[in-house]
Amino acid sequence: MLYLAPGQEKRQQRDQIDWPERFKTLANQAKTPALKRYYEAGIPAPDTPIAEAPMVAVDFETTGMDVSQHGIVSISVIPMTRDRIHQGAAKTWLVKPRRVLTEQSVTIHGITHSAIEQAPDLEEVIEPLLEAVAGKVWVVHYHGIERPFLQDALLERLGESIEFPLIDTMEIEARFRRQQRGIIDRLIDKFKGRQPPSIRLADSRERYHLPFYAPHDAMTDALACGELLQAQLAYHFSDNSLLSDVWLP
């Protein structure tokens, strides 16, 4: 087992924000009742052992990758801990984006214009979504989607955004791939024009001998992400590892 001890890579950066105190400040500033309740529920402190941290695996399907041009079409959340995934408590929503569906996005996730014709706007699911994730640490695979897309969507609909830390399984995988290969191996790869090992969700799961799931369904991807984190924690971290060892501010 590889153990990332406290004080190792990026620890100082991750400890810059006192999230429980930040949530108290944001609760006082929030104008939207649902957002205020979300912050009032609090967030685990950075020095919380991972084994004790309530988490929630989250996945969004979107009309594209550019937050300024694309929107959310489906959301799934699954409560979890280091040891259990509570799939029976999972929730999913199909929403009608305010951005046009592209042919490419329909091909990727299979959500068509007819599928979202009667779907609500994201504004109608903000309250149940925030209730589902309140008090928990978000777990995603690639933090460039869920957090910025939700921040932009809330700003557009509520006139205020949202802040929260998260655990990014892609970032964890990239970190340990770098450690495993070393700087010499990476320089050789660059010299020979070889691509680094893939850290996409399916490829990362394969390294831990996790089963293949068809991608680009929000519920399946959330489950796949949650299982990947559990494998990463079991393989790379100890029972004494803290949230500050794994989350991104």
Side-chain angles (χ1 to χ4, degrees):
M1 175 183 291
L2 295 174
Y3 171 47
L4 186 67
Q8 267 190 292
E9 186 177 3
K10 297 186 179 179
R11 175 68 182 276
Q12 183 176 359
Q13 175 187 348
R14 291 173 185 172
D15 283 348
Q16 287 178 355
I17 300 175
D18 183 337
W19 280 106
E21 286 301 316
R22 180 62 182 156
F23 267 43
K24 291 178 184 177
T25 299
L26 292 168
N28 290 329
Q29 296 174 348
K31 301 179 179 63
T32 306
L35 198 55
K36 186 177 185 68
R37 289 193 295 272
Y38 169 74
Y39 289 129
E40 287 175 341
I43 194 76
D47 60 356
T48 302
I50 296 172
E52 300 175 10
M55 297 177 281
V56 59
V58 183
D59 186 79
F60 292 174
E61 294 299 317
T62 64
T63 61
M65 299 288 287
D66 186 342
V67 69
S68 67
Q69 300 183 42
H70 302 126
I72 301 166
V73 290
S74 67
I75 303 169
S76 289
V77 300
I78 308 178
M80 64 173 290
T81 63
R82 184 194 62 175
D83 302 314
R84 292 191 61 189
I85 292 178
H86 302 280
Q87 197 164 2
K91 297 183 182 297
T92 190
W93 298 272
L94 186 68
V95 294
K96 189 172 186 178
R98 295 183 181 180
R99 313 285 192 271
V100 177
L101 280 176
T102 65
E103 183 176 338
Q104 182 181 14
S105 71
V106 171
T107 301
I108 291 173
H109 50 57
I111 299 174
T112 63
H113 291 85
S114 59
I116 61 170
E117 185 64 29
Q118 302 301 319
D121 185 85
L122 178 63
E123 185 169 3
E124 296 183 39
V125 306
I126 289 173
E127 185 169 352
L129 170 61
L130 293 181
E131 288 177 355
V133 298
K136 303 177 181 67
V137 179
W138 287 50
V139 178
V140 304
H141 193 77
Y142 180 51
H143 64 277
I145 295 293
E146 281 76 15
R147 187 161 57 184
F149 267 86
L150 184 61
Q151 288 173 330
D152 185 78
L154 295 194
L155 188 61
E156 181 178 7
R157 290 161 176 81
L158 305 179
E160 55 183 331
S161 190
I162 187 171
E163 297 180 27
F164 53 88
L166 51 74
I167 297 171
D168 182 351
T169 53
M170 176 180 277
E171 189 274 338
I172 293 174
E173 198 63 17
R175 187 197 321 172
F176 283 104
R177 296 284 70 78
R178 288 193 300 269
Q179 290 181 2
Q180 186 180 59
R181 290 189 57 75
I183 189 170
I184 300 300
D185 291 329
R186 298 199 301 271
L187 287 173
I188 292 173
D189 285 346
K190 184 176 182 180
F191 177 76
K192 293 187 175 182
R194 293 192 300 230
Q195 293 296 316
S198 171
I199 52 174
R200 296 173 68 89
L201 182 55
D203 296 319
S204 297
R205 286 175 57 84
E206 186 176 1
R207 293 189 189 97
Y208 301 91
H209 308 291
L210 295 170
F212 173 79
Y213 296 154
H216 305 304
D217 171 83
M219 181 60 72
T220 302
D221 285 351
L223 175 62
C225 179
E227 290 178 346
L228 175 58
L229 177 65
Q230 289 181 325
Q232 290 172 326
L233 293 177
Y235 191 81
H236 297 298
F237 297 83
S238 82
D239 291 343
N240 299 320
S241 296
L242 308 178
L243 275 177
S244 56
D245 294 324
V246 295
W247 74 8
L248 292 174

